[in-house]
Amino acid sequence: MSTHTEHQAPQGREPLDVNDPRLSRFDIVQEGARRDDIEIVHYEAQVVPGSKAERRLTRTVATMFLLTGLAATAFLVIYIWWPWKWEAGRGGDKYYTPLLGVTLGIALLGIGFGILTWGKKLLPKEVSIQDRHDQPGSPEDRRITGETMLYMADELGVKRRPLLGISLLAGLAPVGAVVAAPLVGGLISQPHKNNQMFTTGFKPASDGKRIRLIREDGRPIRPADVSVGGQLTVFPGIEGGVSNKHADSPTLLIHLREDDAQKSRAANERKGHGDYMWGNYVAFSKICTHAGCPASLYEQQTNRLLCPCHQSQFLITDNAKPVFGPANRPLPQLPIEVDEEGFFVARSDYTETIGPDFWERP
């Protein structure tokens, strides 16, 4: 390792006056490198300025940047205006996520290949060797550093190749908007419009008629159909109630033992849900509040409901409060009663949001 003396040129060479107006910017850069014990041993341009090769490479890089801008703009258009709500059949919602992935992928590939081509083909090749040292900077060192940065900017060729600067700006601006889209998307398009995230198939009909609880085969359910300590998965008795159209509606109907039912009623009273149970029967959503998996493994002896995906456990006799695992919100409870014909019906829709917590975020 060599020892550096301020303003002393290595190998006995006299230092240049960096304020000499006859020096070019590269001369100052080279002088600064030598003062910092850096020797530029190889420096050559890869293309001749103004040549056909330079113009061809410039157009190639500009095309990649413009492709980035177009793909990022397409991402924004799809994100905001493309139909994303699930519809029966093969609606446009099927392509929403794939199109977002394709357009974002093209945008990132375009800017990546553009920068790589710019650096590998247009920028000069340089090989430098530096000895390490630790010295404070002087005013001349600062002048050299400034000139070096300006020289690097010149070598990027943006002034000489304005198409590159314009295309880079046109490409990066939409990419920046893509980054901000998820944050401001709710201000552009209301994700909770029509209340679709807060209603299920158990919402009463427009005429106020309450929705029956049915089996998967469509048969309505009477209290006698569920034995003491037993449970049954039920669905809203409406058209498509057992299909994916109402995938947020599967509910677990449980017939509690007398002692357990008393504990559950007391817990409901504390929460202000005194009329949510009917007799010793209670109904909770099967959609886990952690990640939306089906929480369907009911253990009679402990009155715990287990979600098999990530092992969250909910205590049914305490408003289905999570007692183990990553879930941090109780399962929503469905208010139930029996109609005049003796079949279970929902008194109302769920009064809390179904599924993972993120649905509640504005």
Side-chain angles (χ1 to χ4, degrees):
M1 181 183 297
S2 62
T3 302
H4 175 78
T5 303
E6 186 175 6
H7 304 326
Q8 180 178 344
Q11 301 177 350
R13 183 185 61 81
E14 289 296 325
L16 298 178
D17 180 6
V18 297
N19 294 306
D20 187 342
R22 294 172 298 176
L23 296 180
S24 68
R25 180 165 287 163
F26 183 73
D27 291 335
I28 297 176
V29 170
Q30 200 168 33
E31 171 65 15
R34 286 170 177 158
R35 290 188 183 186
D36 208 24
D37 295 330
I38 300 173
E39 187 64 31
I40 302 175
V41 297
H42 179 76
Y43 194 93
E44 66 170 329
Q46 299 196 72
V47 292
V48 178
S51 65
K52 289 183 178 180
E54 183 188 48
R55 291 194 294 272
R56 183 177 65 253
L57 287 170
T58 298
R59 289 193 297 269
T60 300
V61 175
T63 299
M64 292 180 181
F65 289 155
L66 291 174
L67 178 63
T68 294
L70 290 174
T73 301
F75 176 96
L76 294 171
V77 171
I78 294 168
Y79 183 85
I80 298 170
W81 287 289
W82 193 273
W84 57 269
K85 290 197 300 180
W86 184 87
E87 296 177 359
R90 296 192 61 81
D93 60 293
K94 303 296 187 301
Y95 306 103
Y96 180 71
T97 301
L99 285 174
L100 289 181
V102 169
T103 53
L104 183 59
I106 292 174
L108 296 179
L109 285 174
I111 194 170
F113 280 115
I115 291 175
L116 283 174
T117 304
W118 192 345
K120 293 288 186 180
K121 300 296 184 180
L122 284 173
L123 295 184
K125 291 182 178 180
E126 176 183 330
V127 178
S128 301
I129 301 174
Q130 179 183 22
D131 291 332
R132 296 179 57 187
H133 62 85
D134 184 15
Q135 294 289 334
S138 66
E140 286 197 343
D141 290 336
R142 290 192 290 272
R143 167 73 190 279
I144 291 170
T145 300
E147 292 294 325
T148 300
M149 296 179 67
L150 291 173
Y151 183 78
M152 292 172 62
D154 287 345
E155 288 300 291
L156 285 175
V158 176
K159 290 183 179 180
R160 190 172 70 253
R161 311 162 186 145
L163 179 60
L164 287 179
I166 295 172
S167 61
L168 180 61
L169 180 61
L172 286 182
V175 171
V178 165
V179 175
L183 302 177
V184 301
L187 303 177
I188 299 172
S189 180
Q190 167 59 273
H192 296 153
K193 63 184 177 182
N194 302 325
N195 209 30
Q196 72 269 14
M197 296 298 183
F198 297 91
T199 60
T200 71
F202 289 107
K203 179 182 178 181
S206 56
D207 59 1
K209 184 178 180 180
R210 293 167 298 177
I211 306 301
R212 281 182 173 176
L213 280 57
I214 64 172
R215 295 178 174 85
E216 190 172 4
D217 60 9
R219 290 181 296 158
I221 302 167
R222 297 179 184 273
D225 295 336
V226 187
S227 60
V228 177
Q231 49 84 22
L232 186 66
T233 298
V234 297
F235 306 88
I238 59 176
E239 182 180 358
V242 298
S243 70
N244 284 338
K245 184 177 181 180
H246 294 282
D248 57 354
S249 301
T251 299
L252 199 65
L253 177 64
I254 303 172
H255 187 176
L256 296 171
R257 294 183 290 265
E258 182 62 37
D259 291 345
D260 297 329
Q262 290 181 11
K263 294 178 183 178
S264 185
R265 275 191 291 271
N268 275 7
E269 291 287 349
R270 291 194 299 270
K271 194 174 181 180
H273 292 174
D275 58 350
Y276 277 37
M277 292 179 62
W278 185 87
N280 292 347
Y281 296 82
V282 65
F284 288 98
S285 170
K286 286 186 65 172
I287 311 301
C288 181
T289 54
H290 168 235
C293 299
S296 55
L297 302 179
Y298 177 60
E299 188 179 57
Q300 294 184 20
Q301 300 304 316
T302 62
N303 290 300
R304 291 191 178 194
L305 185 62
L306 171 69
C307 176
C309 290
H310 306 99
Q311 312 307 311
S312 293
Q313 295 182 24
F314 304 88
L315 184 58
I316 295 301
T317 53
D318 191 10
N319 296 304
K321 181 179 70 175
V323 292
F324 182 82
N328 59 14
R329 187 168 66 92
L331 294 173
Q333 185 175 355
L334 181 68
I336 58 173
E337 63 181 10
V338 172
D339 64 14
E340 60 277 2
E341 297 183 33
F343 295 108
F344 276 114
V345 295
R347 292 174 56 91
S348 69
D349 198 356
Y350 283 97
T351 55
E352 299 171 296
T353 50
I354 301 298
D357 290 344
F358 55 77
W359 291 124
E360 295 184 77
R361 298 177 183 174

